[in-house]
Amino acid sequence: MLRERPLLIPFLALAAGLTIADLSGVLLPFSAVAAAMGCLLLSCLLPGRVPLAACTFVFFLVWGLFALTPWKAPSSSPYAIERHAAPAAVTVEGVVSSRPVATPNGGSFIMRTETVISEGRQLPASGSLLVYVSAGDIPVARGDRVRLAARITMPRRLGLPGEFDYPRYLSLRGIAATARLETADEIVLMRGAAEDSPLRRLDLAARRLGDFIRAALPDTEVSSVLAALLLGDQKRIPEQLASAYTRAGVNHILSISGFHVGIIAFFIVQISLLLAVRCERLAIGFNLRRLVLLLSLPAMLLYLFLTGAAPATARSVIMLAGFVLALYAERETDPVNALLFSALLLLALNPPSLFDISFQLSFLALWGIVIAVPAVMERLSPIRHGWPRALLQFVVTSCAASFATMVPVLFIFDQASINGIISNFLIVPLLGYGAVLAGFCALPFVFIFAPAATGLLWLAGKLTAMSNRLIMLFAEMPLLRFHGITPWDMAAFLAFMSVLTFVKGRALKATLCLLLPSAAVLAHLVTGAPADGRLHVIMLSVGQGESMLIRMPEGDTMLVDGGGYLRDNGRDFGERILAPALFRLGVRRIDRMVMTHSHSDHSGGLAYVALTLPVGEFLEAAPGGDGEDYERLRANLVAKRVPMRHLSSGEVIRLSGSVAMTVLSPPRTAQHHTVETFDGKEMNEDSLVFRLSHGANSVLFTADSGFPAEERILASKAAVASSVLKVGHHGSRFSTSAPFLDRVAPQIALISAGYGNSFGLPSKRTLGLLEKRGIRTYRTDRDGSIELVSDGSGWEIFTPWRP
């Protein structure tokens, strides 16, 4: 096998080294790479293949353990931009070092910092700064020297289970810190083209082409999709349309990959051949079929950089270039070896590519295609020619790519679309063979004859508009949702793919291909419910919001509030933050969903959870709620026929055999809040306050209640003494009075607050009261998500997700 697949050992060893370095932080010095290289050279002098194979594996493994050093452990500098991270804004000057990325509302760019002006002092600076712009088109380009005033922040995780590791993502891009501007007008151009380069000129050409496309096609949904197909400018696509392409299972076509590059390379070869054969001298003197193959190489390279050189595009160009050179040399090409070569070369040039999701999914899709299509088409050999065979090959290719990425997509996103098997039949011809070719032909005419470009773009736009309408129909089809894919499932999946690719014996291959998925399925079937006879209370770290998951001793779940964004940013908090955390905690059903009040930082994520997971019962404070998030939540609950119940003081609910919930607020006389009459403070004072008891242990949940609600609860003479207090209103100075704290007399206090929030929460006053009474205090801004486990007599406290 190693003779047939000589790049298998280097690729596996390099990938293993990079993965170990990323997970463990172990990084070897360059001297270790040099020593491994010496051993590899010496092994060439030894007889047999085993020493060479072993030393090859060791060399690439050691190289992988060294290669991430510039990203994981960059050399420290006294002038590093991250040293200026502080609440106060500073003035930063530097050079734009990346192509600005545009979104429907704003965009971002990377800036190589040179100078920082702080408190009247001008200081040298170094490191890359990622600048987000909330609104407006970014007017600068790569190589421009710019100045801006912004607050420098260090990327930090929230501390949630299964959370996307944003700091890691930025570090693997070489970004040290971030900044945000409200508008693009805050960017001051100090000197245009301070650093000129071919990449800058290609960026400017891409911008001109994009502007021309948007001017020729005023419909934003059409022009944004076409710009993504031709220039890799995906971020401008409206979020609703981009989501529809994902649900329809054809979002891959919006990312420039081997499909686009292959079509364009084939088109260039055919056009060049058509023109060359008309020259008699060329036709007689050269082998034109071989010669025109070489013309596709510079065209593919130019197109790679014109579209931003994304990892998936780079891998495709490398792979296709290998095929072209093999065809030119009249040698047979093995698709598996070509795939290994392109992946190995890309990792050698840019090691962090291994952790890029687009690279991973495109690699797996191609892997599925190269092992499935030849095998299936060989068995369909009676259908040799014509459109039936082409149609069958198209179907097999679509199915192979869909199934090869289904498990990884479920693992990463918790949902996958199999609609692509159907929708590809219409969308790929419309966009891939139609809009891409028409649009690509238009690009050169933008610079030489604009009317011709406009005509070709009109045709590409019509095809794109037709595709968009079909996409909206396909997007209504149901998605495949499964939230239980584990790392062991991924390992079994990769082993299954490896068996299909590298195991030769039919009997052994069939046995392993049957055993691996069977073992994975069996593992899910025998996994018991997450019930251990203890009460679990998890305060989820959801930023400047609040959400708590309670798992009863028998395994039932109760979700109290759903966090949310303080301001509407067009994103769904439940989809992006809350639901993934619940999935990683093994939650498959919410038996009781509790909303203390409808402020967006408490209710923002509930609507998506109610849509995605089965909900047994919905409980809310008697006054009800209002607002867009609340209306969406109610609509989803009504659509799923979930029983709804309003709670007020005095009610007692038996949640399980050993857990009871006693409602302390709002009073029975509380009135419903409307948008017209509702006052934020009034809703806080009428939010749901309740006490959860389990044996000798108890937890008091105070939502956003302040002094008035606390006084009312104390006056009612209700039992409030609890071993754990969920501190009211994120630790505000207008909550948790001294008398209230003395009556509750907690041993443990929990506070949900966002790291570095602008409200100054939790307040020094509240923290001082807790510290004075010797109450152990845990905070999500400091500790991440916090888990308390009760056996009825005592508490165990865990903070395994500390940021």
Side-chain angles (χ1 to χ4, degrees):
M1 182 181 70
L2 295 180
R3 184 177 295 180
E4 295 177 9
R5 307 278 185 246
L7 298 177
L8 179 60
I9 285 181
F11 174 74
L12 290 178
L14 181 59
L18 292 172
T19 303
I20 293 170
D22 180 57
L23 294 177
S24 67
V26 174
L27 296 169
L28 297 182
F30 181 75
S31 58
V33 180
M37 172 61 81
C39 293
L40 178 60
L41 294 174
L42 289 174
S43 69
C44 297
L45 305 177
L46 300 176
R49 295 192 182 90
V50 175
L52 179 61
C55 290
T56 299
F57 183 86
V58 170
F59 168 72
F60 281 96
L61 179 69
V62 171
W63 182 12
L65 289 168
F66 160 78
L68 289 179
T69 301
W71 293 273
K72 303 290 284 188
S75 55
S76 59
S77 167
Y79 309 118
I81 187 63
E82 55 265 35
R83 292 177 180 266
H84 297 279
V90 297
T91 300
V92 185
E93 186 173 316
V95 176
V96 178
S97 59
S98 72
R99 175 183 298 186
V101 175
T103 65
N105 299 319
S108 63
F109 63 92
I110 299 174
M111 173 184 183
R112 190 183 71 248
T113 57
E114 295 178 343
T115 305
V116 168
I117 302 173
S118 176
E119 299 178 349
R121 296 185 302 160
Q122 183 168 315
L123 304 169
S126 63
S128 293
L129 179 70
L130 176 60
V131 181
Y132 290 102
V133 181
S134 299
D137 290 332
I138 298 174
V140 296
R142 191 196 309 255
D144 290 341
R145 176 166 282 108
V146 299
R147 177 179 287 187
L148 51 91
R151 176 188 171 197
I152 308 300
T153 58
M154 292 291 293
R156 188 177 187 271
R157 293 187 301 110
L158 289 171
L160 277 171
E163 176 185 5
F164 174 70
D165 195 340
Y166 185 59
R168 169 180 172 270
Y169 167 77
L170 291 181
S171 71
L172 291 175
R173 295 177 62 193
I175 295 169
T178 64
R180 181 172 293 276
L181 304 176
E182 290 300 319
T183 68
D185 295 335
E186 298 175 48
I187 304 171
V188 179
L189 178 63
M190 304 299 292
R191 181 185 173 190
E195 294 182 2
D196 201 2
S197 67
L199 287 178
R200 170 185 167 83
R201 298 181 185 183
L202 284 172
D203 288 353
L204 293 175
R207 176 180 292 183
R208 181 176 172 185
L209 292 171
D211 290 342
F212 190 93
I213 291 171
R214 286 182 284 275
L217 303 170
D219 187 333
T220 303
E221 292 191 344
V222 172
S223 61
S224 61
V225 170
L226 194 57
L229 292 170
L230 299 174
L231 303 173
D233 190 5
Q234 297 180 54
K235 298 295 184 180
R236 287 183 184 267
I237 300 175
E239 187 170 347
Q240 183 179 2
L241 182 60
S243 177
Y245 268 87
T246 300
R247 293 196 306 274
V250 291
N251 60 318
H252 62 87
I253 204 166
L254 299 177
S255 174
I256 294 178
S257 59
F259 176 73
H260 305 72
V261 178
I263 288 175
I264 291 170
F266 179 77
F267 178 75
I268 291 172
V269 168
Q270 294 302 312
I271 291 295
S272 301
L273 185 61
L274 182 65
L275 296 175
V277 294
R278 298 184 180 279
C279 178
E280 186 177 347
R281 184 171 299 178
L282 285 175
I284 295 174
F286 299 94
N287 184 336
L288 292 182
R289 291 188 176 277
R290 294 180 62 199
L291 184 63
V292 296
L293 283 172
L294 297 181
L295 293 178
S296 65
L297 294 177
M300 286 192 292
L301 193 62
L302 179 65
Y303 190 58
L304 170 66
F305 290 106
L306 182 68
T307 56
T313 314
R315 175 198 48 73
S316 304
V317 168
I318 292 170
M319 187 171 180
L320 287 169
F323 274 112
V324 167
L325 292 173
L327 289 172
Y328 179 79
E330 297 182 341
R331 296 190 61 177
E332 273 194 44
T333 56
D334 180 274
V336 174
N337 283 336
L339 182 63
L340 288 171
F341 171 76
S342 61
L344 184 64
L345 182 59
L346 187 58
L347 293 184
L349 296 174
N350 185 30
S353 296
L354 180 66
F355 311 106
D356 185 275
I357 292 175
S358 66
F359 167 79
Q360 295 169 0
L361 294 180
S362 62
F363 178 84
L364 290 169
L366 268 179
W367 189 4
I369 290 170
V370 300
I371 64 175
V373 174
V376 173
M377 295 309 294
E378 183 180 349
R379 286 165 174 75
L380 298 175
S381 55
I383 308 174
R384 294 183 179 278
H385 304 290
W387 67 265
R389 184 171 180 83
L391 180 62
L392 279 171
Q393 187 164 347
F394 181 81
V395 172
V396 173
T397 300
S398 179
C399 292
S402 297
F403 287 116
T405 55
M406 187 173 297
V407 172
V409 167
L410 284 172
F411 178 69
I412 297 168
F413 303 109
D414 296 300
Q415 62 183 28
S417 173
I418 57 174
N419 305 339
I421 297 174
I422 303 171
S423 55
N424 273 325
F425 282 102
L426 297 175
I427 303 305
V428 168
L430 281 174
L431 293 185
Y433 303 132
V436 167
L437 284 180
F440 181 76
C441 291
L443 296 184
F445 285 108
V446 170
F447 300 99
I448 57 180
F449 188 57
T454 302
L456 288 166
L457 287 174
W458 175 85
L459 174 60
K462 291 297 181 185
L463 295 171
T464 304
M466 192 182 304
S467 168
N468 287 349
R469 287 193 290 271
L470 290 171
I471 285 297
M472 299 309 291
L473 294 176
F474 285 119
E476 296 301 319
M477 298 172 65
L479 289 172
L480 173 64
R481 299 182 191 272
F482 184 70
H483 313 300
I485 300 296
T486 67
W488 291 109
D489 294 321
M490 279 299 300
F493 166 75
L494 293 175
F496 177 82
M497 294 284 285
S498 300
V499 168
L500 285 177
T501 309
F502 303 115
V503 174
K504 294 299 182 183
R506 285 190 176 184
L508 180 59
K509 178 183 289 190
T511 302
L512 291 175
C513 286
L514 182 64
L515 285 177
L516 286 168
S518 299
V521 171
L522 185 62
H524 284 279
L525 293 177
V526 300
T527 300
D532 58 4
R534 300 184 296 173
L535 176 69
H536 294 253
V537 178
I538 303 176
M539 174 173 272
L540 298 169
S541 180
V542 292
Q544 191 54 40
E546 192 166 290
S547 181
M548 300 186 72
L549 176 69
I550 302 164
R551 183 173 280 128
M552 305 300 162
E554 294 81 8
D556 288 0
T557 57
M558 183 165 83
L559 180 65
V560 181
D561 288 338
Y565 299 114
L566 290 173
R567 300 173 185 85
D568 184 17
N569 57 14
R571 298 169 181 167
D572 192 318
F573 186 89
E575 181 179 11
R576 295 172 63 90
I577 306 293
L578 181 58
L582 296 177
F583 299 154
R584 290 296 176 263
L585 288 170
V587 176
R588 303 293 175 262
R589 171 184 169 85
I590 302 295
D591 294 286
R592 290 180 179 86
M593 177 180 284
V594 180
M595 187 189 73
T596 62
H597 62 299
S598 60
H599 282 168
S600 60
D601 60 329
H602 286 251
S603 64
L606 293 179
Y608 182 81
V609 174
L611 180 68
T612 308
L613 290 175
V615 177
E617 185 180 18
F618 176 70
L619 309 174
E620 64 175 325
D626 255 311
E628 186 177 340
D629 291 331
Y630 181 72
E631 295 304 325
R632 284 195 304 119
L633 169 61
R634 295 276 300 190
N636 291 343
L637 294 171
V638 169
K640 298 178 74 171
R641 299 181 179 179
V642 176
M644 290 179 271
R645 181 176 173 183
H646 289 82
L647 302 178
S648 56
S649 59
E651 296 187 58
V652 178
I653 303 172
R654 178 63 60 179
L655 301 177
S656 74
S658 57
V659 180
M661 171 183 178
T662 303
V663 180
L664 304 174
S665 183
R668 295 181 182 276
T669 57
Q671 299 296 313
H672 174 71
H673 300 297
T674 65
V675 174
E676 292 79 12
T677 63
F678 132 75
D679 176 86
K681 292 182 179 178
E682 183 182 355
M683 182 174 281
N684 284 340
E685 302 311 329
D686 282 342
S687 56
L688 186 64
V689 178
F690 62 93
R691 180 175 179 267
L692 214 65
S693 59
H694 177 234
N697 291 335
S698 54
V699 185
L700 184 61
F701 295 80
T702 55
D704 273 0
S705 60
F707 295 152
E710 293 174 0
E711 291 172 2
R712 187 174 64 234
I713 293 170
L714 292 178
S716 70
K717 305 299 183 181
V720 295
S722 303
S723 51
V724 177
L725 170 67
K726 198 293 298 178
V727 176
H729 207 177
H730 316 282
S732 164
R733 62 192 179 97
F734 300 108
S735 181
T736 317
S737 66
F740 185 76
L741 198 56
D742 290 336
R743 278 278 297 275
V744 178
Q747 304 161 14
I748 301 165
L750 305 178
I751 302 175
S752 181
Y755 179 79
N757 66 82
S758 58
F759 306 101
L761 298 175
S763 70
K764 292 181 179 179
R765 172 204 158 276
T766 303
L767 293 175
L769 285 174
L770 296 170
E771 183 179 1
K772 183 179 179 181
R773 288 160 175 76
I775 301 169
R776 285 185 292 166
T777 303
Y778 294 86
R779 301 162 40 179
T780 57
D781 61 334
R782 185 181 60 191
D783 303 308
S785 296
I786 306 151
E787 181 174 16
L788 278 67
V789 182
S790 164
D791 60 2
S793 59
W795 291 99
E796 290 183 85
I797 304 171
F798 304 94
T799 57
W801 305 285
R802 189 183 293 271

